Amino acid sequence: MPLVFCIIFDCIMNIELFFQYVAAGVTYGFIYAIVAIGFNIIYNTTGIINFAQGEFVMLGSMTAITLNAFMPLSLAIVLSVLITMLVGAVMEILFFRWLESPSVLRMIIITIGLSIIIREIALAIWGENVRALPYFTGNEVSSVSFAGVHISPQVLWVVGICSVMVVGLQVFFKYFRYGRQMRACAANREVARLCGINTKNMVTLSFVLSAGIGALAGCVVSPITYSQYNMGVPLAIKGFTVAILGGLGNSMAAVAGGLLLGILESFSVWVMPSAYKDAIAISIMLLILFFRPAGLFGRKEEFSLKEF
Amino acid sequence: MRRGSLFLSIVLSLLMVLGVFNWSAQASEDVIKIGAILAVTGPASFLGAPEANTLKMLTDEINSQGGLHGKKIKLIIKDSGANPEKAISFAKQLIEEEKVFAIIGPSTSGETLKIKNICEKGKTICISCAAAEKIVNPVAKYVFKTPQKDSFAVRKIYMQMQKMGIKKIGVVVGNTGFGKAGKAQLEKIAPEYGIEIVISEVYDKKATDLTALVTKLKAKGVEAVVNWSIVPAQSIIAKNMRQIGLNVPLFQSHGFGNIKYVKAAGAAAEGIIFPAGRLLVAEELPDDHPQKAVLMKYKRDYESRFKEEASTFGGHAYDAFMILVEAIKKAGLDKEKVRDAIENMKGFVGTGGIFNFSPEDHNGLDIDSFEMLTVKNGRFVLLEQ
């Protein structure tokens, strides 16, 4: 308890510092959220967790870095997102489409295998080296300040692009035909099929979409975190926990869950040695799940209907 | 496995009787096997990759001159990926199966500390390319190292801080053997120089963002930051400090001596201060400096063959290999005699400094082997005093 009072006291004493931690947390929170949304999109149409989600992030940023040597940054990013979407589509068509009523477990194991294969191919293509895209605005030392809080302009890019993606996806699922069809699949695959929706195409589309948003997230975050062939694994783990934390299948909940985890991680550094950062974040999450197994925003009844 | 090798040896001995493979059987006895355990890939690849390149280059050079005592050197490089468990099994393999003459490496302190006893028990010379003082203190009979001791690096940094009037510092280290050893030295020596460590933190070696950590440093009002690690976090911390507006001097360890870290940090690397051997500023040295010729030759050879800039880490491997070669030249091919020759070697001019070994000092370098360097316009330069 005294610890809590200490933190509150610190906050009041130093409001700038408080927001500095929030800013650090929000950057990562949004990245976790985007990865979690990628999980959710595929989960909704297929009922599986795609463990190759982190690899989409890695592929997006590594491809963009390679292309950036030959073309302007914006074009390189657009192309790399398209290429990663294509990889997502090929992956689904080659490994999932032809399966006759596959079990959830079988498909999940396929995604684990694919994630390993993609990582190994990336290692063969790009090697071990750590690379990075250039900062979109300014450079490594640029810093913008709002009321005493200093952040890199790239943080604004991450927050901005990720917010646009989240809003864009919501609009797509609400107002566009394919988006609505995907939601129908999510609600009930059998009935959607009986209504004349091509559910197989919807599954492909879901892989394409989550590959695309993962790749874009990988590009915007690359200047901050650097990119490497194995960057996808920790992101996938965090993204997965965030998806569960928010309530599997719910994109807006993923955003809330992502921000919560990011900020928790950031504040844990304030009060504890930073070596415990991951341990603290994960322990808090375990506690939440212990009391709300359906996730913070999930409903119990809905949860009990899910296959996984 | 065993049956396979039995079969193979029967076939080989038959062939030998027939005289077909006569020359190759002889050749295998006519080489000096030198093992190397290096982190060619993985988080410490900025260390291990140039070290492996350097050893290959030097082996070719010695062999093209006819080898040592009429025998060619056979170099066996094992890539540990900076993983201490792998280093242990490679060390056992090299000593017990390959029966190597000596081991060069490992690249990192954590790995070296893990194999120190294995080399000692196997009575095999090990010349480490890692920095931590614990490798040679306490002295192990067969274990040597070529990089400068971390306590000298710490003293050099604190001396610079005294000149700059810095009293309150923050220390951050990566959770590797090198980082932890550095933290212990930094904390132990600080009072001698009247420096107060107001915050001391460990971060994960795989960390990709340290914004929250540098925010904490900022809140403590530090006058300078010392970072001690060998991972890409060296570049990340530089960026994060500038981005949140923490504009105090950043000191790094001698683990910063690869220009790739500067490239990764970009503009944020400007002004970083760190101690290092003279290799990085070889051109700036006066012509009569005793190390100049050695440094320039190594640098030119390395850069023309591998098309990348030479780093202090490759230099550590150069020193390790050349010290071994020097000792073999002097003492012949008896392991014990070569070990004694290394222990008594004086005045060996290497890239890291001038080595004077003794039974008490298996590193052989003094504090003057360090220069303080800084980064200016993306290049390493001598820090103006």
Side-chain angles (χ1 to χ4, degrees), chain B residues 14-36:
Chain B
L14 275 175
L15 287 172
M16 237 153 49
V17 171
L18 295 171
V20 180
F21 262 115
N22 219 350
W23 58 271
S24 82
Q26 252 174 9
S28 72
E29 282 172 16
D30 262 3
V31 296
I32 305 168
K33 277 190 188 171
I34 295 180

Side-chain angles (χ1 to χ4, degrees), chain A residues 48-52 91-92 94-100 102-118 207:
Chain A
I48 66 164
I49 301 296
N50 169 30
F51 278 98
M91 204 169 113
E92 199 280 329
L94 281 183
F95 295 98
F96 295 99
R97 185 170 267 256
W98 54 272
L99 295 176
E100 293 284 338
S103 72
V104 168
L105 191 63
R106 185 172 165 198
M107 291 199 283
I108 290 178
I109 290 169
I110 294 177
T111 67
I112 294 176
L114 283 172
S115 83
I116 296 171
I117 292 171
I118 294 175
F207 270 82

Side-chain angles (χ1 to χ4, degrees), chain A residues 17 20-21 24 28 128-130 135 139-143 150-152 223-226 266 269-275 277, chain B residues 41-42 45-46 201-203 208-209 211-213 215-216 218-219 232 235-236 239 242-245 264-268:
Chain A
L17 200 64
Q20 190 76 61
Y21 280 111
Y28 262 70
E128 284 262 353
N129 279 344
V130 176
Y135 278 71
N139 61 12
E140 292 83 359
V141 289
S142 309
S143 162
H150 299 270
I151 49 173
S152 163
I224 301 181
T225 64
Y226 299 131
S266 172
V269 174
W270 189 350
V271 279
M272 300 279 276
S274 67
K277 184 171 114 172
Chain B
T41 59
S45 63
F46 284 1
E201 286 268 342
V202 181
Y203 56 79
T208 53
D209 187 271
T211 306
L213 182 60
T215 305
K216 197 170 177 179
K218 194 180 181 187
S235 310
I236 294 168
K239 290 195 308 182
R242 302 299 175 240
Q243 283 162 357
I244 69 150

Side-chain angles (χ1 to χ4, degrees), chain A residues 235-293:
Chain A
L235 281 178
I237 294 171
K238 291 283 168 63
F240 178 58
T241 29
V242 163
I244 302 265
L245 182 63
L248 211 49
N250 180 345
S251 286
M252 287 321 271
V255 175
L259 291 177
L260 183 67
L261 178 64
I263 291 172
L264 272 180
E265 279 189 351
S266 172
F267 275 94
S268 75
V269 174
W270 189 350
V271 279
M272 300 279 276
S274 67
Y276 300 124
K277 184 171 114 172
D278 283 351
I280 292 168
I282 299 290
S283 322
I284 292 174
M285 201 138 42
L286 282 176
L287 276 180
I288 292 174
L289 289 184
F290 189 70
F291 292 109
R292 292 195 61 93

